[in-house]
Each structure stands twice: as C-alpha cells, then as structure tokens.
Amino acid sequence: MDKAQAQDREVRAARLHLDSLRDAATVRELVANLREGVYVSNHQGRILDANPAFLGMFGLASRDDLARFSVYDLLVDPAQRASEMDRIARDGAVREFEFQIRRPDGEERTVLDACHAVTDPETGETLYHGILVDITDRKVEEARREHWFSLLRATLESTADGILVVDGKGRIVSFNQKFAELWRIPGEILVAGDDERALEFVQRQLKHPDAFMAKVRALYADPEATSSDIVEFTDGRVFERYSQPQRIGGRSVGRVWSFRDVTERDKAEAALRESEERYRRLVELSPDGIGVYVDGRIVFINAAGARIFGATSPDQLIGRQAMDLVHPDFRPGVAERMRVMLDEDRQVPLTTETFLRLDGTPVDVEVMAAPLRYREKKAIQVVVRDMTERRRAELALRESEERYALAARGSNDGLWDWHLLTNQVYYSARWKAMLGYAETEVGASLDEWLKRVHAEDVARLKAQIDAHVEGAAPQLEVEHRVLHKDGGYRWMLCRGVAVRDEAGKAYRMAGSLSDITERKLAEDQLLHDAFHDSLTNLPNRALFRDLLGRSLGRAQRRIDYRFAVLFIDLDRFKVVNDSLGHSVGDELLRAITRRIERCVRPGDTVARLGGDEFTILVDDIGNASDATRVADRIQRELTQPFNLSGHEVFTSASIGIALSASGYDAADDLLRDADIAMYRAKALGKARYEVFDTAMHARARALLELETDLRRAIERSELRLYYQPVVSTETGRIAGFEGLVRWQHPQRGLIGPAAFVPIAEETGLIIPIGRWVLKEACRQMRQWQERFPALGDLTISVNLSGKQFAQARLVEDVSQALKESGLAPGRLRLEITESVVMENAPSAMAMIDQLRALDVKIDIDDFGTGYSSLSYLQRFSLDNLKIDRSFVSNIVSDRGENAEIVRTIVTLAQHLGMGAVAEGVETPDQLRLLRELGCQRVQGFLFAEPVTDVEADQLLQNDVRPAVGTEN
C-alpha cells in the first residue's frame, strides 16, 4: 500500500466516524463539551479525531494540528504506550493506564487514559477510542500527602511514647511500634485492627482492669473530652495515660491515646521521698545537735541541739541570733569561719569551741559546719556535739591508763621465765592461751615448750638458745612454729634475754612469745602474689621466666631433654571487653584458663603473661608433635562456646610454638620467638598455630628495621606524593587528583603504601605522615590553580586513616594546611573509609560536621565493602560515594551482578544528593558501562597510574583524555 492509499484510507475512516457522529449530534455536542479529552487514533498513533479538551491537554491550537503530530510524538515514553496498545488490541477490553505527555511548548503533564480497541467495519483496521483525564495536579497532591504522611509516621515511630489512634467506635486505625512494645500486644492483632482482642491483652496485664475500661467507655461516650491518668500493671509497671479527641473539620472523628512508661521515674521519686524521710528521722534522732543559720539567725534546730543549749524545745531557739549562743572569747573565730563558708562556699574543718546555754553557763562543744542553700538563700548547716561527758570520760581514762600501764605491759605476748639451774620454766596464762591451753594443762618443764616445736625448727631454736646462753649472741630472737591444741601450727617470734652472775654465767633467762602467724601468712601471700596472676591464679611472667630458665639449664645438662613453649593470644578479645564489659572479659579469661589446663599434661606449666596472652611450658617432649598436639587440643577446646553472665561468647586463639631444639641460652629469646610465631599465625588467618623457624625471625627483624627507617623518613623528607587523575565521564577532562603517598627509601627504592602504611598505623606514625600528605596535597593543588586558572574546578583528594580521623586536632590540621597553602576549602576532598565512619557513627558525625564547617568536601572511600546504616548515611553530610575497585573489576564479566551493585550505589548517591566515583577502571568496556550506569567520575590505570607532580603537571598542560570520550 503506497502513501497516497494510506492517506485515503485514513480520510475515509475519519469521514465514516464523523458521519456516525452527525447521526448522533447530541452525543457529539456532549463530547465536545466534556472536560475530559476524547480521541480516536489508529495503531500507528495517528489522531483521527479529538474533542477540544484533548487539544487543550496536548497544547494544540486547533484540530488542524492533529495532522502534524502522532500520539507518540507527544509522549515522554512512547514505548510504554506502544506496549499498552498491543495489550489492548490483544485483550479487547477497556484498559486504564497512566502516561506522561510533553506538549509542544515543552511542559510535561500526567494523564490517565481509558482506552479500548474497535474494528473499522469497512477497512477492518483496529482503531482506539480513549478518554483522557489530566491528573497532574492530583499526582502532585498525592506526592505532597505521601511526604507529610511519611513525616508523621517517622515522628510517631521516633517518640518514646506509645501512640494508638482509634475511630469514633473505638476501632484501631493506627499505632506506633512503641505502643506494641509497651503493651506487649502481638503485632498481627494490631495490624488486623482487632480492638476486642487487643483490649483482652490489655486487661490481663492491669491491676484494675474494670476502672481502666470504665474510663475508656466514658471517653468514647463523650467524643470531645480529654483525659490524663495513671495506669498500674500487675507486674509493677506504671504508665501515664493521655487521651485527646481527633478532629477533622471541627468535628470529632476518633481519639488519640498516648501512653508513657513512668515506672522508673515513680521508683526514683519514691526512693527520694524515702531518702528524705530517713534523713529527717536521722536528724531528729541524732544525739548531736543539728542546726541551720540564715542571715545569722537560727531557722532550724533539732531536739538534741535544743538540749545542748538548755532549751526545753527547738521553738525557744528559732529566730535567735546564733552569735548570742557563742562564748565571747570564741566569737571572732566563729565570725571568720562563717564568712569563709558564705563568701567562699567551702566547708571549714572540725573545731572545738565553747558555747553558752540559755542560762549563761558555758558548754564545750565539737563543731563541724558547711555552707548550703536553704529556701533559695545562703545558709550554714552546723553539727554540734556536747563534749562535757567525753571530757570527763577522757580524764578518767587517762587516770585508769596510768594505773594499768605497768600491769598491762606485755599482756599481749606469752611470757616465759626459765630457771637454768633447776630447768623449771614459768609459762604465763597468755603463753598457754596462745596455744589453746588452760592454766592447768601445761606443766613447768622446758620440754612442755620444745616438744611442741615443729620438727624442722627444733634444732635451730636450740642452737639460738645455746648461742645466747653461752654469750655468743647479745639476745635471743628467733622465729619458729609451735603446735596448737587444735592440731595446727602457729608461727611465733621468741625474744629473750639471759640474767648472768658476776662471772657472766647465765643462770636465768626470761622472754616472750608473740604470735606472728598472720604476718607470716601475709608474707607467704605476698610471695605468691609476686609470682602469680591475681585473676587466674596462674604463674605470671616472672615465675614463668624462672621456670623456663630452669628448663634451659636442664636442656644444657641433658642431651636427651627437650621442651617447647606455646605462646597463646586470644583472637578478638578486645571485642568482648568493649561490648560486654571488663567484668565479662575477666570471666572469659578465667574460663579459658580452666579449659587450657584441661589440655596440658601433668608437669606442664600454664602461665598468664598479661592481658589476653598465655604461655605453656610443655616439658620433656619427644619431638615437635608432642607440642603441636597440645596446640590442637587447645584449638578444639576453644571452639565450644562460653556462657558468661547470660551471654554466649565464641573465641579462638592464635598460637606460636618455639622448640628448645633450636638452641637457646636465654628464656626471653624463647618467649620472643614463640611470640613471633604467634603473630605469624594471626597474619595467616588466626585460630591456628605456627611453629617458629628462622625465616620468621628474619621477617620480624626486617619489619623492625623498616619501622626504624620509617621514623627517620619523615625527618629526612623521603616521603613522596603521587597523583592519580580523577576523570569526568561527561566531559572527558581531568576533574581532580587523588594524592597517594610513596616512600623513596635510600636503599630499597620506591616503596608502595601497602608495605609501610600498616606499620605506620600500628606505631602511630600515620599521624605525622598524614599531616605531611595533607599539607603537600594542598600546596600542590594551589600551585596548579595558579598555573592553570582555567581549571578552577580541580580538586585534590586525600585519604584519612582511622587514627587520623579519631584524633582531636584533625580539624586544626586541615584548617592549617588550607591556610598555609592558600587553597580554597572547596577544592579539598577528604576520603574516609566506610568502616571507619561506621565504627563509631555518632562521633564520626560530629567530626564530619566540624570538617564540613571548614567547607571541605567529604567522600566515603571503598563504599560497599563494609557495612553502612542507611539511616546514618542519610544524616551524614557527604559529597561522594567512591565505588570500590572490587565491584568495578568484574563489572563486565560477572553476568551483571556487579553492574547491578554499581547501579544501586549510583542511584543511592543520586537520591542522597551525592556524586559517585568509580575506582580501578582498567578497560574501555568498564568505562562504557560505568557511563551508562550514570557514574559521574572515574579513576584507574585506564587513564593513568599514580604519577609524580611533574608528570601530573604535564597531563594538565596537555589536557589529556587517555581513554575517555563523550561518545560510546
């Protein structure tokens, strides 16, 4: 069919349609006056007829314009309508669908089309009759309502109160999650709006359900009433209940209930009342006088205070000038102390003063005073103790002590008096009582003493006695154990002195026994504590080193003797301490101690060096397998969970093994090598063991040398900053650079960050290194801005480590770098990894806000590799999400999985008002797909490896676009 025939066919179809309408003039007039657009079109979208409302919707001036456009010319998405037309033609039913039109003037509107297909009886062609309704305004209103409804729902869910909304008949309309939690009502009941079952749950929990329901019925009977009261639960909880009518158009349509858990507040108020009552009773019942002075006058005094001042009741003293009750000799000092308390607001020390009773007689008192607020005024609280009786008692006591001094001397020790000529010994009652005997149970022979001395101490005691008797020692002083009547031994300190005749020969010796058992036990405990861990009671580092030294000595004496040292470090123990607290961490260490002890052989020694580090001396082994079997048993034992204070905790351990066969002279060398092997086990994935070899030692020495060189590298200006261009996918131009640190080592050459940044992180050197990188990047970018003023939008990106981000002076460092370089803050981008931000989100948010206050840009690096809370991400003030290279590398070859992840990240960034930057772009296909997914900026080896400042300068001079084009 040629073009002329097709046009003729369309004209005949239109004429046939118009003729049918002329037969129904009334219908045509009605259609012409409709506000809805009415049209007839063919399958190709040609508009055969339409009413004025249709023309107005599409911005067409007259029916003549219908020939200029097809329906598809005026649609935002023609493919959508074509799909719908096919479905209508296939199904034959009236179908409604929404689509967007674009008028000739560019304005876009949303319309609802009710369309069905008919067959032209003459031509057999499928025609479409449709009615259009402009729903643009309705869509806008729906979006506005959705926004406010979402805001209202978020507000309801964030409140600490439980909210319930019911209609006029008490049926559930809405509720927040807090309501369900407070009332412990299953969610399915509330979602179903089953108010009867919900009330059953409520009433079962209440102490007074009838009163509760009576209040509910009364409020439903009076729709305009408001209410607030208290609801008590059988389990002790207490809620405040509030109720307000819900009004629409001035008419009550339902009721809003609000519930607040005030259980803890009520308990606190009750505790405060009890505390106040206890304090009041203590004051009233105190034997000391307690008073309060305001403006120098007594405003309160208890009954004891009234008695001290000779008053029959406190009322006799209220209102009196306090100074009138102070003896004149003490008034200047009292006035000065009152001034200090009122003017300097500090307590004065305890003092003794003389006051006056109401009858004028003096009374010695002990006074303590402190400032306080009394009914919004400065006041002084005074505690007064009558010293009269105590002074009398002290005087009597001194007299008694003087009389008793001689008689009481030595009464705490057991006295003995030995007559050497008769060999008879006098033992005092205290001597006998110290050993648990009555006065008559011990005889008068020396054997009564010596037979009770511990077998290991008898010879030494006799030797000391003989030495003193013979004059070889000036006095007797010896410690020994004596058998108590209860079967145990007591440590005694024996002191004595001999009485000699004119010839110097001893004929009598007297002395005392002092019980020093507690002191000896304390000394033993101190000795034990010095060599044992207080938490686990295991040998500590000092004792373990001593035992290890003995084993080394034994190995040097015996060729066939071997042993091993296991160094154990718990994996992720800090997580337990930080999340569950140090008490649970201590409990875990004790439990692990018990399990490790079950894994070793008799004769092996388990020790705790400190923290979460344990060591084992595996004694007298045949070969290395004996030690590794112990390590295997420990690993198996630690796979079982620990139940600690109601928490189920899992842990594992990294174990290093050093064998004595390697040849050692010092215990510390063995511990060092076992420690190195343990760290090797950690580096290889944790929860395993490694046996030390010399290669490990070499690696450890190399790392130490690298750390030493790194400390000097900053001083020697050996650090270099390389720059990788960040390219715009829209323009193909360089949009900025990322500054990447390198180390120009004098012997090893250029070292990448992977080799030294972890060491810098561990040692804290990352802080000065990061500070240098920040200043150098800002200086270089400012230099480029001056050289290339046309490229004013260039930015420089600097990575921040976790330690940098956590330091308090980061904001000061950034501000100083900007100030010194003169770089505009908006040209500096600070990159923070996702894991660093989410490790402590509230602190991170505060730090980001401070940095944003400087007007610098904040990007999230390696996005998608960690874990992010979308709620926090939305609250962070961020500029870019940097898509990790792990997603980009397989974006083309993994059947679209990574492409969807990238698409999601880009979409997320757009919805949050951020940009997206893809890292690690290495192929044109990756670039093409990233551009299609809407990623604005990219960087990677496809464009350039990190280059020196000179090479970067050349890139900017040439405005190089290595692989980026604006066309596919």
Side-chain angles (χ1 to χ4, degrees):
M1 183 183 295
D2 59 16
K3 184 176 181 181
Q5 290 175 326
Q7 289 180 342
D8 182 65
R9 182 175 178 181
E10 289 180 1
V11 170
R12 284 190 293 104
R15 189 175 295 132
L16 176 64
H17 178 70
L18 290 173
D19 290 342
S20 65
L21 287 179
R22 290 191 191 98
D23 293 339
T26 302
V27 174
R28 184 171 183 82
E29 181 180 358
L30 178 63
V31 170
N33 292 327
L34 285 176
R35 294 170 59 188
E36 293 78 9
V38 180
Y39 70 91
V40 178
S41 71
N42 61 14
H43 194 69
Q44 290 72 35
R46 179 65 60 188
I47 305 169
L48 305 179
D49 197 5
N51 69 347
F54 179 91
L55 300 177
M57 282 185 195
F58 282 84
L60 303 179
S62 67
R63 294 166 59 88
D64 295 338
D65 289 341
L66 295 177
R68 294 169 48 207
F69 302 99
S70 73
V71 173
Y72 297 110
D73 294 333
L74 300 171
L75 299 184
V76 173
D77 184 3
Q80 175 200 3
R81 180 174 177 84
S83 174
E84 293 290 347
M85 293 298 101
D86 290 341
R87 193 176 303 171
I88 291 171
R90 184 173 63 251
D91 298 344
V94 176
R95 183 172 180 81
E96 288 189 357
F97 57 95
E98 295 179 9
F99 60 90
Q100 286 185 292
I101 64 173
R102 184 182 290 113
R103 294 159 49 126
D105 59 5
E107 181 184 1
E108 294 185 0
R109 309 286 291 180
T110 303
V111 297
L112 175 66
D113 190 356
C115 182
H116 74 284
V118 297
T119 303
D120 188 318
E122 293 185 5
T123 64
E125 181 183 11
T126 300
L127 301 178
Y128 297 93
H129 293 187
I131 299 176
L132 298 180
V133 179
D134 190 332
I135 60 172
T136 305
D137 294 339
R138 190 186 80 190
K139 283 290 185 179
V140 171
E141 179 62 22
E142 287 176 352
R144 187 183 68 81
R145 290 179 180 176
E146 178 64 23
H147 168 75
W148 285 109
F149 180 79
S150 173
L151 183 61
L152 176 60
R153 171 54 61 184
T155 302
L156 286 176
E157 291 300 336
S158 63
T159 182
D161 295 343
I163 305 296
L164 175 68
V165 182
V166 298
D167 62 15
K169 295 184 179 180
R171 292 174 296 205
I172 297 172
V173 174
S174 182
F175 64 94
N176 66 354
Q177 188 59 35
K178 190 65 177 180
F179 174 81
E181 293 173 1
L182 288 175
W183 284 99
R184 302 169 183 173
I185 301 174
E188 61 269 17
I189 294 177
L190 295 171
V191 171
D194 193 339
D195 52 297
E196 292 185 1
R197 289 186 64 196
L199 281 172
E200 291 176 6
F201 271 87
V202 167
Q203 293 182 75
R204 285 201 295 266
Q205 302 179 62
L206 298 178
K207 187 181 292 186
H208 307 294
D210 293 339
F212 178 89
M213 290 305 301
K215 187 69 168 182
V216 171
R217 287 190 288 270
L219 289 174
Y220 286 159
D222 185 359
E224 299 300 325
T226 62
S227 173
S228 64
D229 59 351
I230 296 296
V231 179
E232 296 180 280
F233 287 68
T234 55
D235 62 4
R237 289 181 294 152
V238 180
F239 287 2
E240 285 181 349
R241 173 174 60 174
Y242 302 91
S243 183
Q244 293 279 349
Q246 181 189 8
R247 297 183 179 87
I248 298 178
R251 183 174 63 86
S252 177
V253 297
R255 185 164 290 279
V256 179
W257 298 90
S258 174
F259 300 91
R260 179 174 299 167
D261 190 338
V262 295
T263 309
E264 295 304 320
R265 187 193 72 188
D266 284 5
K267 288 180 179 178
E269 290 175 351
L272 178 60
R273 287 193 297 272
E274 291 176 5
S275 176
E276 290 174 345
E277 178 62 20
R278 285 195 298 270
Y279 177 75
R280 187 188 64 79
R281 291 181 180 177
L282 284 171
V283 170
E284 291 299 329
L285 298 176
S286 173
D288 295 331
I290 301 175
V292 178
Y293 305 157
V294 176
D295 295 332
R297 294 187 179 274
I298 300 172
V299 296
F300 169 82
I301 193 165
N302 65 352
R307 287 194 298 272
I308 290 173
F309 288 104
T312 57
S313 74
D315 292 337
Q316 288 182 268
L317 299 172
I318 300 300
R320 282 182 174 267
Q321 284 286 345
M323 202 62 73
D324 292 344
L325 299 175
V326 179
H327 192 281
D329 294 346
F330 288 85
R331 286 175 185 172
V334 171
E336 175 59 17
R337 281 191 287 277
M338 292 176 68
R339 184 199 65 76
V340 168
M341 286 185 284
L342 294 174
D343 294 348
E344 301 178 17
D345 193 31
R346 61 185 175 90
Q347 183 175 332
V348 296
L350 181 71
T351 185
T352 302
E353 298 170 346
T354 300
F355 284 2
L356 298 175
R357 294 190 176 93
L358 291 180
D359 61 6
T361 59
V363 55
D364 292 335
V365 293
E366 202 174 52
V367 181
M368 180 176 287
L372 80 159
R373 301 289 297 182
Y374 183 83
R375 296 180 180 175
E376 304 304 317
K377 289 186 176 182
K378 287 186 175 181
I380 297 174
Q381 181 171 347
V382 179
V383 179
V384 180
R385 178 170 296 170
D386 191 341
M387 299 279 289
T388 306
E389 291 301 322
R390 195 171 87 181
R391 288 281 171 80
R392 282 199 289 265
E394 288 174 350
L395 179 61
L397 179 60
R398 281 197 299 272
E399 294 173 352
S400 175
E401 287 175 344
E402 290 172 357
R403 288 193 301 268
Y404 193 73
L406 293 175
R409 183 174 301 162
S411 61
N412 287 330
D413 294 337
L415 304 179
W416 53 270
D417 190 353
W418 178 22
H419 199 290
L420 276 65
L421 298 178
T422 63
N423 208 30
Q424 294 292 299
V425 183
Y426 164 76
Y427 301 104
S428 70
R430 174 62 181 159
W431 192 99
K432 299 171 184 176
M434 287 167 62
L435 299 177
Y437 294 99
E439 181 74 27
T440 58
E441 291 184 281
V442 178
S445 68
L446 182 61
D447 190 57
E448 291 282 358
W449 180 359
L450 296 180
K451 72 180 181 182
R452 292 180 171 87
V453 176
H454 194 284
E456 295 178 0
D457 300 336
V458 171
R460 179 164 49 86
L461 175 61
K462 288 181 177 180
Q464 293 284 344
I465 292 173
D466 291 344
H468 178 56
V469 169
E470 294 169 3
Q475 63 184 24
L476 172 66
E477 184 168 336
V478 61
E479 295 177 356
H480 63 283
R481 287 163 286 183
V482 182
L483 184 65
H484 193 275
K485 186 177 181 180
D486 61 9
Y489 281 91
R490 300 289 190 271
W491 274 99
M492 297 291 177
L493 172 60
C494 175
R495 291 190 181 96
V497 64
V499 180
R500 303 178 185 276
D501 59 16
E502 294 177 356
K505 183 178 180 181
Y507 64 91
R508 185 178 177 188
M509 182 185 288
S512 64
L513 283 185
S514 301
D515 192 334
I516 59 170
T517 306
E518 294 298 324
R519 193 196 78 192
K520 296 294 286 187
L521 291 175
E523 290 173 353
D524 291 342
Q525 186 63 46
L526 286 173
L527 185 62
H528 178 274
D529 293 346
F531 292 101
H532 289 80
D533 172 54
S534 60
L535 179 65
T536 61
N537 206 34
L538 291 175
N540 61 11
R541 180 185 291 270
L543 181 54
F544 187 82
R545 289 178 71 252
D546 181 70
L547 295 173
L548 190 52
R550 296 181 190 181
S551 293
L552 282 171
R554 197 156 43 247
Q556 292 168 356
R557 294 189 300 271
R558 287 174 45 194
I559 298 176
D560 62 338
Y561 174 76
R562 295 180 180 86
F563 65 93
V565 173
L566 275 62
F567 200 113
I568 304 169
D569 187 271
L570 303 183
D571 300 326
R572 293 171 54 79
F573 176 74
K574 185 176 184 297
V575 175
V576 177
N577 262 351
D578 292 346
S579 58
L580 302 179
H582 288 275
S583 61
V584 175
D586 290 347
E587 190 177 347
L588 175 60
L589 291 174
R590 288 191 289 267
I592 287 173
T593 297
R594 292 191 292 271
R595 292 198 185 180
I596 292 177
E597 287 177 329
R598 292 202 297 263
C599 298
V600 299
R601 309 165 308 166
D604 295 342
T605 300
V606 182
R608 180 182 176 222
L609 299 191
D612 59 343
E613 294 180 341
F614 295 83
T615 52
I616 301 175
L617 175 58
V618 185
D619 197 42
D620 201 9
I621 62 175
N623 50 49
S625 62
D626 291 339
T628 58
R629 277 195 294 273
V630 174
D632 282 328
R633 285 198 294 271
I634 292 172
Q635 295 286 14
R636 287 196 300 273
E637 190 71 29
L638 294 183
T639 58
Q640 301 302 314
F642 294 85
N643 196 318
L644 308 172
S645 301
H647 302 281
E648 191 176 59
V649 175
F650 290 85
T651 191
S652 60
S654 300
I655 304 175
I657 303 173
L659 303 172
S660 64
S662 301
Y664 292 93
D665 295 320
D668 286 339
D669 293 340
L670 255 172
L671 280 173
R672 177 203 64 205
D673 291 348
D675 190 23
I676 291 172
M678 180 274 293
Y679 274 106
R680 181 64 176 165
K682 278 192 179 294
L684 294 176
K686 303 180 181 178
R688 57 182 293 153
Y689 67 83
E690 286 292 317
V691 180
F692 176 81
D693 58 38
T694 54
M696 290 184 187
H697 192 194
R699 281 194 296 270
R701 289 184 62 87
L703 283 175
L704 181 59
E705 291 173 2
L706 193 65
E707 178 189 338
T708 303
D709 290 347
L710 184 58
R711 291 183 183 276
R712 296 170 180 161
I714 302 172
E715 303 170 2
R716 297 174 177 174
S717 300
E718 294 173 358
L719 298 179
R720 302 288 183 269
L721 203 58
Y722 275 54
Y723 303 89
Q724 185 172 41
V726 179
V727 179
S728 169
T729 59
E730 296 178 2
T731 66
R733 293 181 178 274
I734 296 175
F737 289 94
E738 180 178 356
L740 301 168
V741 69
R742 300 290 187 267
W743 179 11
Q744 188 64 50
H745 193 279
Q747 284 81 39
R748 303 186 186 187
L750 192 65
I751 300 178
F756 68 88
V757 167
I759 298 174
E761 284 275 6
E762 184 178 348
T763 59
L765 291 173
I766 195 67
I767 301 301
I769 291 174
R771 195 173 294 135
W772 177 86
V773 169
L774 188 62
K775 290 185 177 181
E776 179 64 16
C778 290
R779 184 199 63 76
Q780 183 61 63
M781 179 50 66
R782 176 57 180 165
Q783 188 179 87
W784 283 331
Q785 281 187 329
E786 292 173 350
R787 280 178 51 77
F788 307 103
L791 301 177
D793 292 338
L794 279 180
T795 60
I796 186 72
S797 299
V798 176
N799 292 285
L800 294 180
S801 73
K803 286 193 174 181
Q804 273 185 284
F805 191 66
Q807 66 159 335
R809 62 167 290 180
L810 175 61
V811 177
E812 180 185 345
D813 287 344
V814 174
S815 178
Q816 185 177 355
L818 292 170
K819 183 178 179 181
E820 291 178 358
S821 65
L823 181 68
R827 301 306 168 210
L828 176 61
R829 292 185 175 276
L830 300 178
E831 296 187 4
I832 315 157
T833 63
E834 185 179 9
S835 58
V836 167
V837 170
M838 295 312 301
E839 184 174 339
N840 190 340
S843 297
M845 187 180 300
M847 178 59 78
I848 289 174
D849 288 344
Q850 293 181 63
L851 292 171
R852 288 308 299 265
L854 299 178
D855 203 26
V856 300
K857 307 297 184 184
I858 307 295
D859 298 348
I860 293 295
D861 198 12
D862 301 338
F863 186 77
T865 60
Y867 59 95
S868 290
S869 165
L870 293 182
S871 63
Y872 269 116
L873 195 61
Q874 187 175 14
R875 291 160 62 186
F876 289 139
S877 183
L878 303 172
D879 295 284
N880 277 331
L881 298 181
K882 297 199 71 172
I883 304 168
D884 188 70
R885 65 181 65 249
S886 61
F887 300 123
V888 176
S889 61
N890 296 319
I891 194 172
V892 178
S893 60
D894 67 350
R895 301 180 181 178
E897 294 179 2
N898 275 4
E900 287 305 315
I901 294 175
V902 172
R903 186 194 305 277
T904 301
I905 295 175
V906 172
T907 303
L908 174 64
Q910 292 171 349
H911 282 296
L912 295 177
M914 305 177 195
V917 182
E919 298 180 299
V921 179
E922 298 180 356
T923 68
D925 287 341
Q926 292 173 350
L927 174 62
R928 175 186 53 76
L929 190 52
L930 286 167
R931 184 187 293 114
E932 291 175 0
L933 293 174
C935 186
Q936 300 99 329
R937 295 186 180 187
V938 291
Q939 66 184 92
F941 289 176
L942 178 62
F943 317 111
E945 296 184 9
V947 297
T948 65
D949 55 344
V950 175
E951 293 169 316
D953 193 280
Q954 188 63 46
L955 287 177
L956 290 173
Q957 282 185 351
N958 299 333
D959 193 16
V960 175
R961 310 179 194 178
V964 182
T966 56
E967 299 297 331
N968 291 337

